[in-house]
């Protein structure tokens, strides 16, 4: 089952404990339901689209329950912030939040690649270059930074992996 989102609106200014967003969720390429979160902590809210029923939402919940557990880290802000590792069972919120995050990452990468972007030592650097100077400057970058990866030359999947590792 593939979960994707479209019509995503993110309100960073309203995000406190969780991401404040609204989106249309697609299941295997078909419009399924809407999702939103008010950004104040807690779960997402799901609403079937007109003409559909809650069965699609329930099918995603059942699918998530079949996925393997994932390892994660929690921060407890008790008197002293404590990191605690745990394994959790993915749920519908995890799948939808992951799809929203992927949507935002792809949007960020499109913006990033309007410039020359390189990945080096776990960080991403960008250079604003006039169109006619781009080939010359790219050659200079490769000469001065032989270990860098020019993200503009990489397949999108590889660029996404490198972008996530730099976050």
């Amino acid at each position: 089952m593939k979960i994707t989102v479209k019509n995503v609106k993110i309100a960073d200014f309203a995000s406190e404990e969780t991401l404040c967003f609204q989106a249309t969720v697609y299941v295997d390429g078909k419009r399924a339901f809407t999702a939103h979160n008010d950004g104040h902590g807690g779960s997402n809210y799901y609403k079937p689209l007109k003409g559909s029923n809650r069965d699609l939402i329930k099918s995603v919940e059942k699918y998530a329950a079949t996925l393997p557990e994932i390892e994660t880290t929690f921060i407890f802000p008790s008197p002293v912030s404590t990191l605690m590792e745990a394994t959790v069972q993915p749920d519908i919120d995890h799948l939808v939040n992951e799809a929203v995050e992927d949507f935002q990452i792809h949007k960020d990468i499109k913006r990033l690649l309007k410039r020359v972007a390189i990945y080096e030592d776990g960080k991403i650097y960008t250079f604003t270059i006039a169109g006619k100077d781009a080939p010359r400057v790219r050659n200079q970058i490769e000469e001065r930074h032989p270990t860098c990866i020019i993200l503009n030359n990489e397949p999108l999947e590889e660029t996404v992996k490198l972008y996530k590792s730099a976050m």
Side-chain angles (χ1 to χ4, degrees), residues 54-139:
R54 296 199 60 83
D55 290 345
L56 287 170
I57 298 170
K58 289 181 181 179
S59 69
V60 174
E61 289 171 340
K62 287 179 184 176
Y63 168 72
T66 67
L67 296 174
E69 290 185 337
I70 53 174
E71 292 185 21
T72 188
T73 303
F74 294 99
I75 300 175
F76 289 99
S78 55
V80 177
S81 290
T82 307
L83 290 177
M84 186 173 230
E85 293 186 16
T87 57
V88 295
Q89 179 64 46
D91 60 5
I92 188 171
D93 283 353
H94 175 79
L95 297 177
V96 170
N97 292 346
E98 197 172 66
V100 171
E101 180 182 307
D102 285 346
F103 178 89
Q104 187 64 37
I105 286 172
H106 281 80
K107 185 177 173 182
D108 291 346
I109 288 173
K110 282 182 185 176
R111 188 177 329 112
L112 182 77
L113 295 180
K114 289 182 180 177
R115 304 182 218 161
V116 174
I118 67 169
Y119 176 87
E120 187 173 39
D121 299 327
K123 295 181 182 175
I124 294 178
Y125 304 94
T126 59
F127 303 87
T128 304
I129 302 167
K132 64 181 183 175
D133 294 332
R136 181 179 56 79
V137 173
R138 282 187 189 195
N139 288 339

Side-chain angles (χ1 to χ4, degrees), residues 134-146:
R136 181 179 56 79
V137 173
R138 282 187 189 195
N139 288 339
Q140 288 177 346
I141 291 169
E142 287 175 338
E143 287 172 12
R144 293 180 186 168
H145 304 274

Side-chain angles (χ1 to χ4, degrees), residues 2-96:
K2 183 173 179 169
I3 308 298
T4 55
V5 292
K6 293 184 181 177
N7 307 319
V8 178
K9 294 180 182 95
I10 296 175
D12 285 327
F13 70 91
S15 298
E16 291 179 10
E17 292 183 30
T18 54
L19 183 65
C20 180
F21 75 92
Q22 65 182 31
T24 304
V25 179
Y26 287 68
V27 177
D28 294 330
K30 295 182 182 178
R31 281 180 48 166
F33 51 89
T34 61
H36 76 275
N37 191 306
D38 59 11
H40 300 292
S43 300
N44 298 337
Y45 299 96
Y46 302 101
K47 181 179 175 188
L49 294 170
K50 280 187 177 178
S52 66
N53 57 33
R54 296 199 60 83
D55 290 345
L56 287 170
I57 298 170
K58 289 181 181 179
S59 69
V60 174
E61 289 171 340
K62 287 179 184 176
Y63 168 72
T66 67
L67 296 174
E69 290 185 337
I70 53 174
E71 292 185 21
T72 188
T73 303
F74 294 99
I75 300 175
F76 289 99
S78 55
V80 177
S81 290
T82 307
L83 290 177
M84 186 173 230
E85 293 186 16
T87 57
V88 295
Q89 179 64 46
D91 60 5
I92 188 171
D93 283 353
H94 175 79
L95 297 177
V96 170

